[in-house]
């Protein structure tokens, strides 16, 4: 099934994100996935920070990435984010990082999230959130 | 097949590694996997930095983690590292992060690596390295 | 002396940048200074990555910051960057981070840089770079 | 005045902490200062995480560092931490990072902290904490 909505986030590689191999350190792509995820919710009118203030959290329960080609300092990249699978108690988001100019694919991956309340208990996603994810 | 050698690395959680949820930010566990990996090679008499000076690199081509329970500031954790699969041109390492005191499992995961020369071309692992990995 | 040129960089706070106090971890502001610095050079037609490829480096020799008020997850902030002092062998850049919406000052600071060649020796800045900095 | 107590923390440089210059990225030394600070309190029988649970915070209000020589991947370094100045409402800590083997000085710096309660208001340090800092 094709995702209905793909949200794009544009980032410029920071020197801090590179490593001694001269390329972006692999774990930083998960940070970019997170930036993409925040934009995905935000552009749908949902602010993740607001959910937290209401007592809902979406911690990462599983994460995966394949590193196809490296990004380097000052490169401009696009992170694409979409819903892979929406469930009542969680969601799986998919990501692709491409070089903005060449559209070359650099990294692909996904993160799985479970909904948690402020006591750390798994819970159902708030209704507006469920709708947002199912329609995406 | 049981891994023959499991190397343990002990770390104390830094405040820098926590996030606004009050727990360790998920991407940092991949950094701990890297610390475990460095110790795995080092305790076998191989220094990854030395390989790089000889023109061999072991970039991460794929990474995976499952987050079972959170670590918090100042917790002492143990990272266990072992060889999952050794090949002539790469290696897959497995990891487990546990709370040192309770031995509670916090995170499990793996990283896949391909051998690369200084021109960025895939290559066979140096012989001493292959031996080390196959015997592990 | 007033700086002639102040370059603005806009950033959105990542969850990765927050800590268990619920605010941006202090060391990350130095990363934002670096992002501002890159934009400062870039908007003047100079690419820091290009200097490195030509064998010139501008490592940080000293850094200072005062933290006036915290930034939080998803806040949009503006980093302002300018030249504090240009010398033949280095430069001091000044920074201010403000909340974009309220213009409230969050952090102020500076970084001192020395010019280094690819052998790690201190050297004079390339002429075009000196001009850029003196005119800023 | 000589500090009465200097606490040493030993760290091994992670690949994640290096940058494209092949050395430790400057902002990461502030993270090492934080690791040193945690150990300083901990070895005096005070746990910073415990203070936070009691509603006291010691955010960084100012930070400074001079970078004398670079650390590289897998280097083992020692962070030395001491009290520069103790006050009723805050404290300034001093740091030195040296290469463990050669004792070569890599970085020196300090951080200033103010005591804050859980409402974000500046407050006096708890008495046991004040004693600890004054006697150090």
């Amino acid at each position: 099934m094709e995702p209905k909505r793909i949200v794009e986030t544009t980032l410029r590689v920071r020197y801090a994100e590179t490593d001694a191999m001269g390329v972006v350190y692999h774990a930083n792509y998960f940070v970019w996935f997170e930036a993409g995820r925040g934009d995905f919710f935000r552009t749908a009118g949902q602010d993740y920070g607001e959910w937290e203030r209401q007592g809902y959290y979406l911690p990462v329960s599983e994460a995966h990435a394949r590193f196809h080609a490296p990004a380097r300092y000052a490169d401009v990249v696009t992170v694409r984010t979409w819903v892979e699978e929406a469930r009542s108690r969680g969601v799986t988001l998919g990501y692709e990082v491409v070089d903005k100019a060449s559209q070359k694919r650099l990294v692909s991956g996904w993160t799985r999230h479970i909904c948690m309340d402020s006591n750390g208990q798994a819970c159902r996603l708030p209704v507006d959130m469920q709708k947002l994810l199912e329609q995406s």
Side-chain angles (χ1 to χ4, degrees), chain A residues 41-114:
Chain A
F41 293 133
R42 199 172 295 115
T43 58
Q46 295 284 334
D47 180 64
Y48 177 71
E50 186 52 41
W51 292 340
E52 287 204 352
R53 283 184 287 276
Q54 292 173 17
Y56 293 102
Y57 298 82
L58 268 186
V60 181
S61 60
E62 198 170 349
H64 186 87
R66 293 189 67 167
F67 307 97
H68 309 286
R72 290 168 200 279
Y73 173 63
D75 285 355
V76 178
V77 301
T78 302
V79 183
R80 297 206 180 98
T81 307
W82 62 87
V83 171
E84 282 273 334
E85 188 195 1
R87 291 162 295 145
S88 61
R89 293 170 170 275
V91 63
T92 302
L93 293 161
Y95 311 89
E96 193 176 55
V97 180
V98 301
D99 182 78
K100 199 188 175 191
S102 68
Q103 290 294 305
K104 184 180 181 178
R105 191 177 59 160
L106 306 177
V107 178
S108 52
W110 50 264
T111 56
R112 194 161 289 165
H113 302 260
I114 47 157

Side-chain angles (χ1 to χ4, degrees), chain A residues 6 16 21 28 30 45 47 53 61 87 105 126 132-133:
Chain A
I6 297 180
M21 241 181 259
N28 291 324
F30 291 101
D47 180 64
R53 283 184 287 276
S61 60
R87 291 162 295 145
R105 191 177 59 160
L132 153 65
L133 296 172

